[in-house]
Amino acid sequence: TRCLSDWSSDVCSSDLLVQDSHTLTDGSRLQPDVVIRLPESKHLVIDSKVSITAYTNYVQADDEQAKELALNQHVASLKQHIQGLSAKNYQDLYGLGSIDFVLMFIPVEPAFLAAMRHAPDLYQDALKKNIVIVCPSTLLATVRTVAHLWRQDQQNRNAQEIARQCRSEEHTSELQSLR
């Protein structure tokens, strides 16, 4: 099975839905870039349609004024993308099986870092809209963390069910001994 990366066996191709298309009741269509199936029939949506045109202009700018303008445009583009993602409500596509946030993947690490340096509140502003901004160095760690949390949750529920069944069996045994 092909895995998300060569150094991760946590997320393999059988767990990935790429360009999973959904037609809504109003006829509009939503198509997240990647949906990762997690334990417990949960889904993690990753969007990677971030434009880095303004960032490219920033890198190629010759003077400080042009750089500042391009960097402002880069941050504005990311803010606009965050707003658009939030309005799509991707997390509603999978109902109760969805995590209540979407990962917004910025595929160019320096573009992510420049935006975070220039607009330190950007990350928190995105979180308030249920968007988690990730880049190449944080994506896999984030996916692994979320998958681990879902596994822990399942193990906790299994332990609770075992304890409930044991209590029920003990209660049944006590009732039988009273007879």
Side-chain angles (χ1 to χ4, degrees):
T1 311
R2 188 176 57 86
C3 294
L4 188 59
S5 79
D6 293 338
W7 37 277
S8 170
S9 59
D10 288 350
V11 181
C12 293
S13 60
S14 61
D15 300 322
L16 298 176
L17 300 171
V18 178
Q19 299 289 316
D20 189 32
S21 183
H22 295 264
T23 303
L24 305 179
T25 54
D26 66 0
S28 63
R29 195 171 62 103
L30 288 179
Q31 188 170 3
D33 296 312
V34 175
V35 178
I36 300 175
R37 291 185 189 128
L38 297 172
E40 283 290 287
S41 300
K42 300 294 182 184
H43 298 82
L44 180 59
V45 175
I46 302 173
D47 176 87
S48 63
K49 296 180 189 91
V50 175
S51 171
I52 57 166
T53 303
Y55 175 74
T56 302
N57 293 341
Y58 163 73
V59 170
Q60 294 174 346
D62 292 331
D63 62 76
E64 286 307 310
Q65 186 176 4
K67 280 189 174 298
E68 182 70 19
L69 177 64
L71 193 52
N72 286 335
Q73 290 171 341
H74 175 54
V75 170
S77 174
L78 292 176
K79 287 180 178 180
Q80 183 178 2
H81 194 70
I82 290 166
Q83 188 63 38
L85 278 178
S86 178
K88 288 181 181 180
N89 291 314
Y90 274 139
Q91 60 271 24
D92 293 342
L93 289 179
Y94 300 96
L96 296 176
S98 179
I99 294 177
D100 62 355
F101 58 85
V102 173
L103 298 182
M104 183 177 98
F105 180 63
I106 300 175
V108 177
E109 191 97 17
F112 168 82
L113 295 172
M116 293 301 121
R117 275 193 302 271
H118 191 69
D121 295 338
L122 184 64
Y123 193 85
Q124 287 299 321
D125 292 344
L127 279 178
K128 290 175 187 172
K129 294 177 171 59
N130 294 331
I131 308 296
V132 176
I133 304 171
V134 294
C135 60
S137 66
T138 61
L139 175 62
L140 188 59
T142 302
V143 170
R144 282 181 169 175
T145 300
V146 170
H148 176 74
L149 291 172
W150 283 117
R151 275 194 296 278
Q152 288 296 114
D153 182 60
Q154 176 59 35
Q155 289 172 351
N156 289 340
R157 282 194 248 161
N158 287 344
Q160 289 172 356
E161 178 59 21
I162 289 168
R164 186 192 66 73
Q165 288 178 7
C166 287
R167 284 192 303 274
S168 177
E169 288 177 18
E170 286 174 9
H171 182 68
T172 301
S173 295
E174 288 174 5
L175 288 176
Q176 288 176 349
S177 67
L178 292 174
R179 290 184 186 169

